[in-house]
Amino acid sequence: SVGLSTVPLPIWIDIMKAWIGDRSEPPKFEPPGNIVFVSVDKGSGGAAAEGTPDAFMSREFNDAVNEVFSYMFDSCDFAEKLDVTAVEYAFEGVPDTVSAGPVALRFTNEGDEYHELIVFRKNDGVTESFDEILALPEGQSEEFMTFVGAANREPGEPAVVTVFEAEGGEHIALCFVPVGDPGGGPEGEGDGPPHWVEGQRSEFTVE
């Protein structure tokens, strides 16, 4: 189990960094013309009929993946294991400092609204505060911080586990779900401001 938690993720990240190199925009994957993409039928395992939802996008598939990650959380070694709970409107359980390396985060929603946890790392050399970055016009924050990992849960759903690689530096966890979104419907169903504006944000440092 140690190998599962400490080897594949760092190796994969190193491979992707080498592939992307110094390019400001990650290269887009263009599959060869002789590759055919088909949806998978979750019952038979064969090609699905046109219009059938892809098995890999199904709730059953995502639940199965979460079972694997939950087992890893309980049984494997990570640089850090975090138990974070979402309520209206805050994250509970985010420490001030987190150890660098593979991090397993178990996310539970104990609120009455849909919640998500999106983690960003402040880019090297950036001196602006997260308040200043979040005040920028939409789309400009990408120059100042980089996406690290995410999790989301509807009210009453069991906890979900996500795994990400934490590099040294300043980080922030945010919930972008609009106030009033109960979950179970189209994204953005709520008509209020994002949860982070109401206080659902947590800053931490990876060391």
Side-chain angles (χ1 to χ4, degrees), residues 150-172:
N152 59 75
R153 288 282 89 176
E154 294 189 8
E157 283 191 307
V160 64
V161 174
T162 186
V163 177
F164 59 88
E165 181 76 7
E167 296 184 27
E170 297 178 61
H171 291 65
I172 190 169

Side-chain angles (χ1 to χ4, degrees), residues 1 20 70 72 82 84 95 110 119 134 142 145 150 156 166 173 194 201:
S1 62
I20 293 172
S70 295
M72 292 171 63
L82 305 177
V84 179
E110 293 187 355
V119 179
L134 292 171
E142 299 172 358
M145 61 184 189
R201 48 174 287 179

Side-chain angles (χ1 to χ4, degrees), residues 63-76 78 104-106 160-164:
D63 285 346
V65 171
N66 191 44
E67 280 191 38
V68 174
F69 275 35
S70 295
Y71 174 83
M72 292 171 63
F73 186 96
D74 293 331
S75 306
C76 300
F78 290 87
L105 187 150
R106 182 160 52 196
V160 64
V161 174
T162 186
V163 177
F164 59 88

Side-chain angles (χ1 to χ4, degrees), residues 60-150:
E60 292 87 348
F61 177 80
N62 286 311
D63 285 346
V65 171
N66 191 44
E67 280 191 38
V68 174
F69 275 35
S70 295
Y71 174 83
M72 292 171 63
F73 186 96
D74 293 331
S75 306
C76 300
D77 294 327
F78 290 87
E80 193 89 52
K81 293 182 181 181
L82 305 177
D83 257 309
V84 179
T85 300
V87 295
E88 280 80 56
Y89 294 103
F91 292 123
E92 299 175 348
V94 179
D96 293 331
T97 58
V98 173
S99 299
V103 171
L105 187 150
R106 182 160 52 196
F107 182 64
T108 304
N109 182 1
E110 293 187 355
D112 296 321
E113 297 186 19
Y114 176 68
H115 288 286
E116 65 184 8
L117 180 147
I118 314 294
V119 179
F120 295 91
R121 176 183 180 273
K122 188 182 293 186
N123 294 339
D124 293 336
V126 172
T127 58
E128 287 81 0
S129 68
F130 279 115
D131 284 336
E132 292 172 315
I133 295 172
L134 292 171
L136 293 170
E138 186 175 355
Q140 291 188 17
S141 62
E142 299 172 358
E143 302 175 21
F144 298 85
M145 61 184 189
T146 300
F147 170 80
V148 174

